[in-house]
Amino acid sequence: PGFGTAIDANDRVWINSTSGRTISLFDKTGKPLSPPERYNFGGKLMQGIIVAPNGNVWALDFTNDRVVHLPGGYPSKAKFYCESTDGGPNKDSPCKLNGPFHLAIDQQDRIWITNAIGDTVTRFPASDPSKVEVFPSGGHSGKGMAIDSKGNAWITNTAGSGLSLET
């Protein structure tokens, strides 16, 4: 099982698997659309997954503190962002990711990411992941997150309470 499920505009279901370290794609009847080995991107651990209104799919690599972007929902066009510059996880992530767990997209087309290891939330424009902002999450070990109709990000933390962040 994974910690993410998303449905795109074509009613296809995107599911990640933390144990299989893959992303699977199904049609609305449950028929697999991904290959039998699924999309594995080198066997990296996949975490949260979302589909943006424009059809782009975003997922997280918890183990290596990276963001996986599938432009238009095409796994063959996968791009990785936030990769550590020193080659190791949790060391030098340009996005200040530390165990990225869940993600959401707000009305301004910004990606929000909770960090399960630590007490921060990362945000960047979907159009330019290099423009990173990091905010304190008000607790420790951010897990779930949702964006409300006013653009506030609500984060649940393992230690501490939920928090509304003004956008």
Side-chain angles (χ1 to χ4, degrees), residues 18-130:
T18 55
S19 61
R21 299 182 170 145
T22 60
I23 296 175
S24 298
L25 179 62
F26 299 90
D27 72 11
K28 64 182 176 182
T29 68
K31 177 185 171 192
L33 300 174
S34 48
E37 65 277 7
R38 293 164 293 288
Y39 305 114
N40 70 14
F41 308 108
K44 304 300 179 190
L45 181 61
M46 295 295 131
Q47 198 66 27
I49 191 166
I50 59 170
V51 178
N54 65 2
N56 289 340
V57 175
W58 296 83
L60 300 171
D61 177 354
F62 180 88
T63 304
N64 294 293
D65 297 326
R66 298 187 302 174
V67 178
V68 182
H69 174 220
L70 311 178
Y74 293 101
S76 62
K77 297 180 180 181
K79 297 178 182 179
F80 294 88
Y81 295 106
C82 305
E83 292 189 271
S84 139
T85 57
D86 68 358
N90 303 325
K91 302 282 188 276
D92 190 23
S93 169
C95 297
K96 308 300 181 220
L97 298 178
N98 201 352
F101 194 88
H102 191 67
L103 68 170
I105 189 164
D106 68 13
Q107 295 89 335
Q108 295 179 47
D109 204 33
R110 296 179 298 188
I111 303 293
W112 290 76
I113 302 170
T114 60
N115 289 294
I117 303 170
D119 58 358
T120 61
V121 177
T122 301
R123 179 179 79 185
F124 56 79
S127 62
D128 189 354
S130 71

Side-chain angles (χ1 to χ4, degrees), residues 9-25:
N10 296 315
D11 290 331
R12 298 179 306 172
V13 181
W14 295 84
I15 300 173
N16 60 11
S17 168
T18 55
S19 61
R21 299 182 170 145
T22 60
I23 296 175
S24 298
L25 179 62

